[in-house]
Amino acid sequence: MDNTSIKTAPYALQYGLIYCIILVVFAIMLYTMDMHYQNSTLSTVVNILIGVGGILWGMLAYKKDNGGFISLSQSLKVGVAVALVGSLVGIIYGVVLTEFIDPTTMDKALEFQKQQMLSQNPEMSVEQANQFVDMQKKFSSPLIRSAFGLLFGIFFGFIVALISGLVIKKNRPE
């Protein structure tokens, strides 16, 4: 029996692009509703579901085209690569949004967070909230946001691929 398997790169590219296109469409929808800076629980859950779905879809397509077999290492390769492609395109969209389309996005997000903190913590002073905002501004440059986004995307992809890979793996018989 032939023990060779198919390459993971085409699946990573195809399903990573599908994943990020869906993610960007959702982000544009949030932008048109002026909700792109609020990070609501619902939008976070939808983003996670889109990510899990895109990664799992790529892994299942690979398994199907690989004769119904996928090892844990192949699952990790496909899953992390799908997440990497999706993260890179998502980062590009985020930079374009915050630097060109709506340069006030970060200011709106920080002001929204400040108002949330003040309403949820009545004992917090405005000065303390302003100190938090000043600290957050230091970490909101496009380069730092991109680096954290990429690291989080790869970590998220690894965790999803690991859990999903353990569930869907089916090794070739020796």
Side-chain angles (χ1 to χ4, degrees):
M1 175 173 250
D2 185 17
N3 280 342
T4 62
S5 60
I6 56 179
K7 298 221 181 278
T8 58
Y11 293 87
L13 188 59
Q14 178 181 354
Y15 291 94
L17 288 174
I18 291 170
Y19 154 48
C20 73
I21 288 170
I22 294 169
L23 203 59
V24 168
V25 167
F26 180 67
I28 291 170
M29 183 191 74
L30 290 175
Y31 173 75
T32 60
M33 296 168 49
D34 199 31
M35 295 173 61
H36 61 292
Y37 58 88
Q38 295 177 2
N39 290 330
S40 72
T41 303
L42 181 62
S43 67
T44 301
V45 168
V46 170
N47 279 325
I48 290 170
L49 290 175
I50 292 170
V52 170
I55 292 167
L56 186 58
W57 191 14
M59 291 167 55
L60 290 171
Y62 179 89
K63 180 180 179 180
K64 179 182 171 229
D65 293 347
N66 196 34
F69 299 104
I70 188 168
S71 67
L72 182 59
S73 66
Q74 291 166 329
S75 296
L76 289 170
K77 284 181 196 174
V78 173
V80 171
V82 166
L84 176 65
V85 171
S87 295
L88 289 173
V89 176
I91 288 167
I92 292 168
Y93 168 77
V95 169
V96 169
L97 173 70
T98 59
E99 300 302 311
F100 302 108
I101 297 173
D102 185 7
T104 63
T105 297
M106 292 310 298
D107 293 332
K108 288 188 230 177
L110 292 172
E111 183 61 30
F112 182 79
Q113 286 179 351
K114 179 175 137 181
Q115 295 307 319
Q116 292 287 92
M117 283 189 316
L118 290 171
S119 68
Q120 292 172 358
N121 302 308
E123 69 279 354
M124 179 180 269
S125 69
V126 174
E127 292 80 26
Q128 289 172 321
N130 285 336
Q131 286 175 345
F132 172 79
V133 168
D134 290 340
M135 187 174 58
Q136 289 293 99
K137 282 183 181 179
K138 293 176 185 175
F139 295 102
S140 65
S141 75
L143 184 61
I144 291 175
R145 285 192 331 260
S146 298
F148 279 117
L150 187 61
L151 288 173
F152 176 78
I154 292 170
F155 179 73
F156 174 78
F158 177 78
I159 296 299
V160 171
L162 179 64
I163 293 168
S164 302
L166 288 169
V167 173
I168 69 168
K169 75 176 181 171
K170 183 176 179 188
N171 293 322
R172 289 187 185 275
E174 296 290 325

Coordinates of all heavy atoms in Angstrom, one line a residue, residues 55-122:
I55 N -10.8 26.3 10.2 CA -9.7 25.3 10.4 C -10.2 23.9 10.3 O -9.5 23.1 9.6 CB -9.1 25.6 11.8 CG1 -8.3 26.9 11.8 CG2 -8.1 24.5 12.2 CD1 -8.0 27.4 13.2
L56 N -11.3 23.6 10.9 CA -11.8 22.2 10.8 C -12.2 21.9 9.4 O -12.0 20.7 9.0 CB -13.0 22.1 11.8 CG -13.6 20.7 12.0 CD1 -12.6 19.7 12.5 CD2 -14.8 20.8 12.9
W57 N -12.8 22.8 8.7 CA -13.2 22.5 7.3 C -11.9 22.2 6.5 O -12.0 21.2 5.7 CB -13.9 23.8 6.7 CG -14.5 23.6 5.4 CD1 -14.8 22.4 4.8 CD2 -15.0 24.6 4.6 NE1 -15.5 22.7 3.6 CE2 -15.6 24.0 3.4 CE3 -15.0 26.0 4.7 CZ2 -16.2 24.8 2.4 CZ3 -15.6 26.7 3.7 CH2 -16.2 26.1 2.5
G58 N -10.8 22.9 6.6 CA -9.6 22.6 5.9 C -9.1 21.2 6.3 O -8.6 20.5 5.4
M59 N -9.1 20.9 7.6 CA -8.6 19.6 8.0 C -9.5 18.4 7.5 O -9.0 17.4 7.0 CB -8.6 19.5 9.5 CG -7.5 20.4 10.1 SD -7.7 20.7 11.9 CE -7.7 19.1 12.6
L60 N -10.8 18.6 7.5 CA -11.7 17.6 7.0 C -11.5 17.4 5.4 O -11.6 16.3 4.9 CB -13.1 17.9 7.3 CG -13.5 17.7 8.8 CD1 -14.9 18.3 9.1 CD2 -13.3 16.3 9.3
A61 N -11.3 18.5 4.7 CA -11.1 18.4 3.3 C -9.8 17.7 3.0 O -9.8 16.8 2.1 CB -11.1 19.8 2.7
Y62 N -8.8 18.0 3.8 CA -7.5 17.2 3.6 C -7.7 15.8 3.9 O -7.2 14.9 3.1 CB -6.5 17.8 4.6 CG -5.1 17.1 4.5 CD1 -4.2 17.5 3.5 CD2 -4.9 16.0 5.3 CE1 -3.0 16.9 3.4 CE2 -3.6 15.4 5.2 CZ -2.7 15.8 4.3 OH -1.5 15.1 4.1
K63 N -8.4 15.4 4.9 CA -8.7 14.0 5.3 C -9.4 13.3 4.2 O -9.1 12.2 3.8 CB -9.4 13.9 6.6 CG -9.7 12.5 7.0 CD -10.5 12.5 8.3 CE -10.8 11.1 8.8 NZ -11.6 11.0 10.0
K64 N -10.4 14.0 3.6 CA -11.2 13.4 2.6 C -10.4 13.1 1.3 O -10.4 12.0 0.7 CB -12.4 14.3 2.2 CG -13.3 13.8 1.1 CD -14.3 14.8 0.7 CE -15.0 14.4 -0.5 NZ -15.2 15.5 -1.5
D65 N -9.6 14.1 0.9 CA -8.7 13.9 -0.3 C -7.5 13.0 0.0 O -6.9 12.6 -1.0 CB -8.3 15.3 -0.8 CG -9.4 16.2 -1.3 OD1 -10.5 15.6 -1.5 OD2 -9.2 17.4 -1.5
N66 N -7.3 12.7 1.2 CA -6.1 11.8 1.5 C -6.6 10.4 1.8 O -6.0 9.7 2.6 CB -5.4 12.4 2.8 CG -4.0 11.8 3.0 OD1 -3.3 11.5 2.0 ND2 -3.6 11.7 4.2
G67 N -7.7 10.0 1.2 CA -8.2 8.7 1.3 C -8.9 8.4 2.6 O -9.0 7.3 3.0
G68 N -9.3 9.5 3.3 CA -10.0 9.3 4.6 C -9.0 9.2 5.8 O -9.4 8.8 6.9
F69 N -7.7 9.5 5.5 CA -6.7 9.4 6.6 C -6.1 10.8 6.9 O -5.9 11.6 6.0 CB -5.6 8.4 6.2 CG -6.1 7.0 5.9 CD1 -6.2 6.6 4.6 CD2 -6.4 6.2 7.0 CE1 -6.7 5.3 4.4 CE2 -6.9 4.9 6.7 CZ -7.0 4.5 5.4
I70 N -5.9 11.0 8.2 CA -5.2 12.2 8.6 C -4.6 11.9 10.0 O -5.2 11.4 10.9 CB -6.1 13.4 8.7 CG1 -5.3 14.7 8.9 CG2 -7.2 13.3 9.7 CD1 -6.0 16.0 8.7
S71 N -3.3 12.1 10.0 CA -2.6 11.9 11.3 C -2.7 13.2 12.2 O -3.1 14.2 11.7 CB -1.1 11.6 11.1 OG -0.4 12.7 10.5
L72 N -2.3 13.1 13.4 CA -2.3 14.2 14.3 C -1.3 15.3 13.7 O -1.6 16.5 13.7 CB -1.9 13.9 15.7 CG -2.0 15.0 16.7 CD1 -3.4 15.7 16.7 CD2 -1.6 14.5 18.1
S73 N -0.1 14.9 13.3 CA 0.8 15.8 12.8 C 0.3 16.5 11.5 O 0.5 17.7 11.3 CB 2.2 15.2 12.5 OG 2.1 14.2 11.5
Q74 N -0.4 15.8 10.6 CA -1.0 16.4 9.4 C -2.1 17.4 9.8 O -2.2 18.5 9.3 CB -1.5 15.3 8.5 CG -0.5 14.5 7.8 CD -1.0 13.3 7.2 OE1 -2.0 12.7 7.6 NE2 -0.4 12.8 6.1
S75 N -2.9 17.0 10.8 CA -3.9 17.9 11.4 C -3.3 19.2 11.9 O -3.8 20.3 11.6 CB -4.7 17.2 12.5 OG -5.4 16.1 12.1
L76 N -2.2 19.1 12.6 CA -1.6 20.3 13.1 C -1.0 21.1 12.0 O -1.1 22.4 12.0 CB -0.5 19.9 14.1 CG -0.9 19.3 15.4 CD1 0.2 18.8 16.3 CD2 -1.7 20.4 16.2
K77 N -0.4 20.5 11.0 CA 0.2 21.2 9.9 C -0.9 22.0 9.1 O -0.8 23.2 8.9 CB 0.9 20.3 8.9 CG 2.2 19.8 9.3 CD 2.7 18.9 8.2 CE 3.9 18.1 8.6 NZ 4.3 17.1 7.6
V78 N -2.0 21.3 8.8 CA -3.1 22.0 8.1 C -3.7 23.0 8.9 O -3.9 24.2 8.5 CB -4.2 20.9 7.6 CG1 -5.4 21.6 7.0 CG2 -3.5 20.0 6.6
G79 N -4.1 22.7 10.2 CA -4.8 23.6 11.1 C -4.0 24.9 11.3 O -4.5 26.0 11.2
V80 N -2.7 24.8 11.7 CA -1.9 25.9 12.0 C -1.7 26.8 10.7 O -1.7 28.0 10.8 CB -0.6 25.5 12.7 CG1 0.4 26.7 12.8 CG2 -0.9 24.9 14.0
A81 N -1.5 26.1 9.6 CA -1.3 26.8 8.4 C -2.5 27.6 7.9 O -2.4 28.7 7.5 CB -0.8 25.9 7.3
V82 N -3.7 27.0 8.1 CA -4.9 27.7 7.8 C -5.0 28.9 8.7 O -5.4 30.0 8.2 CB -6.2 26.8 8.0 CG1 -7.5 27.6 8.0 CG2 -6.2 25.7 6.9
A83 N -4.8 28.7 10.0 CA -4.8 29.9 10.9 C -3.8 30.9 10.6 O -4.1 32.1 10.7 CB -4.6 29.4 12.3
L84 N -2.6 30.5 10.1 CA -1.6 31.5 9.7 C -2.0 32.3 8.5 O -1.9 33.6 8.6 CB -0.3 30.8 9.4 CG 0.9 31.6 8.9 CD1 1.3 32.6 10.0 CD2 2.0 30.7 8.5
V85 N -2.5 31.7 7.5 CA -3.0 32.4 6.3 C -4.2 33.3 6.7 O -4.2 34.5 6.4 CB -3.5 31.4 5.2 CG1 -4.2 32.2 4.1 CG2 -2.3 30.7 4.7
G86 N -5.1 32.8 7.5 CA -6.2 33.6 7.9 C -5.8 34.8 8.8 O -6.3 35.9 8.6
S87 N -4.8 34.6 9.7 CA -4.3 35.7 10.5 C -3.6 36.7 9.7 O -3.8 37.9 10.0 CB -3.3 35.1 11.6 OG -4.0 34.3 12.4
L88 N -2.8 36.3 8.7 CA -2.1 37.3 7.9 C -3.0 38.2 7.2 O -2.8 39.4 7.2 CB -1.1 36.6 7.0 CG 0.1 36.0 7.6 CD1 0.9 35.2 6.6 CD2 1.0 37.0 8.3
V89 N -4.0 37.6 6.5 CA -5.0 38.5 5.8 C -5.8 39.3 6.8 O -6.1 40.5 6.5 CB -5.9 37.6 4.9 CG1 -6.9 38.4 4.2 CG2 -5.0 36.9 3.9
G90 N -6.2 38.7 7.9 CA -6.9 39.5 8.9 C -6.1 40.7 9.4 O -6.6 41.8 9.7
I91 N -4.8 40.5 9.6 CA -3.9 41.6 10.1 C -3.8 42.7 9.0 O -3.9 43.9 9.3 CB -2.5 41.0 10.4 CG1 -2.6 40.2 11.7 CG2 -1.5 42.1 10.5 CD1 -1.3 39.4 12.0
I92 N -3.7 42.3 7.8 CA -3.7 43.3 6.7 C -5.0 44.1 6.7 O -5.0 45.3 6.6 CB -3.4 42.6 5.3 CG1 -2.0 42.0 5.3 CG2 -3.7 43.6 4.2 CD1 -1.8 41.1 4.1
Y93 N -6.1 43.4 6.8 CA -7.4 44.1 6.9 C -7.4 45.0 8.1 O -7.9 46.2 8.0 CB -8.6 43.1 6.9 CG -9.9 43.8 7.3 CD1 -10.5 44.6 6.3 CD2 -10.4 43.8 8.6 CE1 -11.7 45.3 6.7 CE2 -11.5 44.5 8.9 CZ -12.2 45.2 8.0 OH -13.3 45.9 8.3
G94 N -7.0 44.6 9.2 CA -7.0 45.4 10.4 C -6.1 46.6 10.3 O -6.6 47.7 10.7
V95 N -5.0 46.5 9.7 CA -4.1 47.7 9.5 C -4.7 48.6 8.5 O -4.8 49.9 8.7 CB -2.7 47.2 9.0 CG1 -1.9 48.4 8.6 CG2 -2.0 46.5 10.2
V96 N -5.3 48.1 7.4 CA -6.0 49.0 6.4 C -7.1 49.7 7.1 O -7.3 50.9 6.9 CB -6.4 48.2 5.2 CG1 -7.4 49.0 4.3 CG2 -5.2 47.7 4.4
L97 N -7.9 49.0 7.9 CA -9.0 49.6 8.6 C -8.6 50.7 9.5 O -9.1 51.9 9.5 CB -9.8 48.6 9.4 CG -11.0 49.1 10.3 CD1 -12.1 49.7 9.4 CD2 -11.4 48.1 11.3
T98 N -7.6 50.4 10.4 CA -7.3 51.4 11.5 C -6.3 52.5 11.0 O -6.2 53.5 11.7 CB -6.6 50.7 12.6 OG1 -5.4 50.0 12.2 CG2 -7.6 49.7 13.3
E99 N -5.7 52.3 9.9 CA -4.7 53.3 9.4 C -5.3 54.1 8.2 O -4.9 55.3 8.0 CB -3.4 52.7 9.0 CG -2.7 51.9 10.1 CD -2.4 52.8 11.3 OE1 -1.9 53.9 11.2 OE2 -2.8 52.4 12.5
F100 N -6.2 53.6 7.5 CA -6.7 54.3 6.3 C -8.2 54.5 6.2 O -8.7 55.6 6.0 CB -6.2 53.5 5.0 CG -4.7 53.3 4.9 CD1 -4.2 52.1 5.1 CD2 -3.9 54.4 4.7 CE1 -2.8 51.9 5.1 CE2 -2.5 54.2 4.6 CZ -2.0 53.0 4.8
I101 N -9.0 53.4 6.5 CA -10.4 53.5 6.4 C -11.0 54.3 7.5 O -11.8 55.3 7.3 CB -11.1 52.1 6.3 CG1 -10.6 51.4 5.0 CG2 -12.6 52.3 6.3 CD1 -11.0 50.0 5.0
D102 N -10.6 54.0 8.7 CA -11.1 54.7 9.9 C -10.0 54.8 10.9 O -9.9 54.1 11.9 CB -12.3 53.9 10.6 CG -12.9 54.6 11.7 OD1 -12.6 55.8 12.0 OD2 -13.8 54.0 12.4
P103 N -9.2 55.9 10.7 CA -8.0 56.1 11.6 C -8.4 56.3 13.1 O -7.5 56.3 14.0 CB -7.3 57.3 11.0 CG -7.8 57.4 9.6 CD -9.2 56.8 9.6
T104 N -9.7 56.6 13.4 CA -10.1 56.9 14.7 C -10.5 55.6 15.5 O -11.0 55.7 16.6 CB -11.2 57.9 14.7 OG1 -12.4 57.4 14.1 CG2 -10.8 59.2 14.1
T105 N -10.4 54.5 14.8 CA -10.9 53.2 15.4 C -10.3 53.0 16.8 O -11.0 52.6 17.7 CB -10.6 52.0 14.5 OG1 -11.3 52.2 13.3 CG2 -11.0 50.7 15.1
M106 N -9.0 53.1 16.9 CA -8.3 52.8 18.2 C -8.7 53.8 19.3 O -9.0 53.4 20.4 CB -6.8 52.8 18.0 CG -6.2 51.7 17.2 SD -6.9 50.0 17.7 CE -6.2 49.9 19.3
D107 N -8.9 55.1 18.9 CA -9.4 56.1 19.9 C -10.8 55.7 20.3 O -11.1 55.8 21.5 CB -9.3 57.5 19.3 CG -7.9 58.0 19.0 OD1 -7.0 57.5 19.7 OD2 -7.7 58.8 18.1
K108 N -11.6 55.3 19.4 CA -13.0 54.9 19.7 C -13.0 53.7 20.6 O -13.7 53.7 21.6 CB -13.8 54.6 18.5 CG -14.2 55.8 17.6 CD -15.2 55.4 16.6 CE -14.8 55.8 15.2 NZ -15.6 55.4 14.2
A109 N -12.2 52.7 20.3 CA -12.1 51.5 21.1 C -11.6 51.8 22.5 O -12.2 51.3 23.5 CB -11.2 50.5 20.5
L110 N -10.6 52.7 22.7 CA -10.1 53.0 24.0 C -11.1 53.8 24.8 O -11.2 53.6 26.0 CB -8.7 53.7 23.9 CG -7.6 52.9 23.3 CD1 -6.4 53.7 23.0 CD2 -7.2 51.8 24.3
E111 N -11.7 54.7 24.2 CA -12.8 55.5 24.9 C -13.9 54.6 25.3 O -14.4 54.8 26.4 CB -13.3 56.7 24.0 CG -14.2 57.6 24.6 CD -13.7 58.3 25.9 OE1 -12.5 58.6 25.9 OE2 -14.5 58.6 26.8
F112 N -14.3 53.7 24.4 CA -15.4 52.8 24.8 C -15.0 51.9 26.0 O -15.8 51.7 26.9 CB -15.7 51.9 23.5 CG -16.8 50.9 23.8 CD1 -18.2 51.3 23.7 CD2 -16.6 49.6 24.1 CE1 -19.2 50.5 24.0 CE2 -17.6 48.7 24.3 CZ -18.9 49.1 24.3
Q113 N -13.8 51.4 26.0 CA -13.3 50.6 27.1 C -13.2 51.4 28.4 O -13.6 51.0 29.4 CB -11.9 50.1 26.8 CG -11.8 48.9 25.8 CD -10.4 48.5 25.6 OE1 -9.4 49.1 26.0 NE2 -10.3 47.4 24.8
K114 N -12.8 52.7 28.2 CA -12.8 53.6 29.4 C -14.1 53.8 30.0 O -14.3 53.7 31.2 CB -12.1 54.9 29.0 CG -12.1 55.9 30.1 CD -11.3 57.1 29.6 CE -12.0 58.4 30.1 NZ -11.3 59.6 29.6
Q115 N -15.1 54.0 29.1 CA -16.5 54.2 29.6 C -17.0 52.9 30.3 O -17.7 53.0 31.3 CB -17.4 54.7 28.5 CG -17.1 56.0 27.9 CD -17.0 57.1 29.0 OE1 -17.8 57.1 29.9 NE2 -16.0 58.0 28.9
Q116 N -16.7 51.8 29.7 CA -17.1 50.5 30.2 C -16.5 50.3 31.6 O -17.2 49.8 32.5 CB -16.7 49.3 29.3 CG -17.4 49.3 28.0 CD -18.9 48.8 28.2 OE1 -19.8 49.6 28.4 NE2 -19.1 47.5 28.2
M117 N -15.2 50.6 31.8 CA -14.5 50.4 33.0 C -15.2 51.3 34.1 O -15.4 50.9 35.2 CB -13.1 50.8 32.9 CG -12.2 49.7 32.3 SD -10.5 50.0 32.4 CE -10.3 51.7 32.0
L118 N -15.4 52.6 33.7 CA -16.0 53.5 34.7 C -17.4 53.1 35.1 O -17.8 53.3 36.3 CB -16.0 54.9 34.1 CG -14.6 55.6 34.0 CD1 -14.7 56.9 33.2 CD2 -14.0 55.8 35.4
S119 N -18.2 52.6 34.2 CA -19.6 52.2 34.5 C -19.6 50.9 35.3 O -20.5 50.7 36.2 CB -20.4 52.1 33.3 OG -20.0 51.0 32.5
Q120 N -18.6 50.0 35.1 CA -18.6 48.7 35.8 C -17.9 48.8 37.1 O -18.1 47.9 38.0 CB -17.9 47.6 34.9 CG -18.8 47.3 33.7 CD -18.0 46.3 32.7 OE1 -16.9 46.0 33.0 NE2 -18.7 46.0 31.7
N121 N -17.0 49.8 37.3 CA -16.3 50.0 38.5 C -16.5 51.4 39.0 O -15.7 52.3 38.8 CB -14.8 49.8 38.3 CG -14.5 48.4 37.7 OD1 -14.9 47.4 38.3 ND2 -13.7 48.3 36.7
P122 N -17.6 51.6 39.7 CA -17.9 53.0 40.2 C -16.8 53.6 41.1 O -16.7 54.8 41.2 CB -19.2 52.9 40.9 CG -19.7 51.5 40.6 CD -18.6 50.7 40.1

